[in-house]
Amino acid sequence: NAGVTQTPKFRVLKTGQSMTLLCAQDMNHEYMYWYRQDPGMGLRLIHYSVGEGTTAKGEVPDGYNVSRLKKQNFLLGLESAAPSQTSVYFCASSSNLAKNIQYFGAGTRLSVL
Amino acid sequence: AQTVTQSQPEMSVQEAETVTLSCTYDTSESDYYLFWYKQPPSRQMILVIRQEAYKQQNATENRFSVNFQKAAKSFSLKISDSQLGDAAMYFCAYLKGAQKLVFGQGTRLTINP
């Protein structure tokens, strides 16, 4: 059972570089989310999507863009990476029928030098 | 805005003993969900237990149970018969609707053999 898959698992960027994190879920979930986790803190919501073609801002959206062109995929983009974006990024998804349960991917550790 | 507070950065317990992790939250809503997530060193976020605010009965999942005090806005997790595999970061989280989980700062639980 794949569930929620995030790629890549690790990445090192230089300041100013761009990259895209991919999240894929095979559970036919309508809702998808991107969180970041900084040391000593819980997860904070960056952006989320309530369905294909829709996106919305979360708690900490600045410096990130997202797209949901296909229901199963949710992309997180960093156009010009900054050291403050060094973090662990988690993707999650949930069903329209059980919105309160979110299933998480294994995370992507990103370092921006 | 909703906030979640975990006042115990670290806890330790002897194997086979019982430990309680504390969580308080702030909300003006009457209908919401509360969760405990476990994050082992693998980084995977694992749902341990959830509580629906409109239910007075405390949730239980095998060795894990909660003490939900709605008026006091308190949601503690009790782990009975602690096992080495229970060692992890534990996060308390609040959810209203399908939009975002609000996480506490986490409690690192150590199990002493």
Side-chain angles (χ1 to χ4, degrees), chain A residues 11-13 15 36-39 44 64 78 81-89 108-113:
Chain A
R11 186 71 186 269
V12 179
L13 290 179
T15 298
R36 62 176 287 173
Q37 183 180 27
D38 299 311
R44 292 182 294 167
Y64 305 95
L78 287 73
S84 61
Q85 295 178 304
T86 293
S87 189
V88 180
Y89 292 85
T108 296
R109 182 176 294 278
L110 175 66
S111 295
V112 183
L113 306 178

Side-chain angles (χ1 to χ4, degrees), chain A residues 33 37 45 100 102 104 107, chain B residues 35 37 39 43-44 50 98:
Chain A
Y33 313 82
Q37 183 180 27
L45 185 67
N100 55 82
Q102 295 185 15
F104 285 83
Chain B
F35 304 83
Y37 278 89
Q39 187 179 42
R43 284 202 316 243
Q44 184 72 51
R50 65 169 173 157

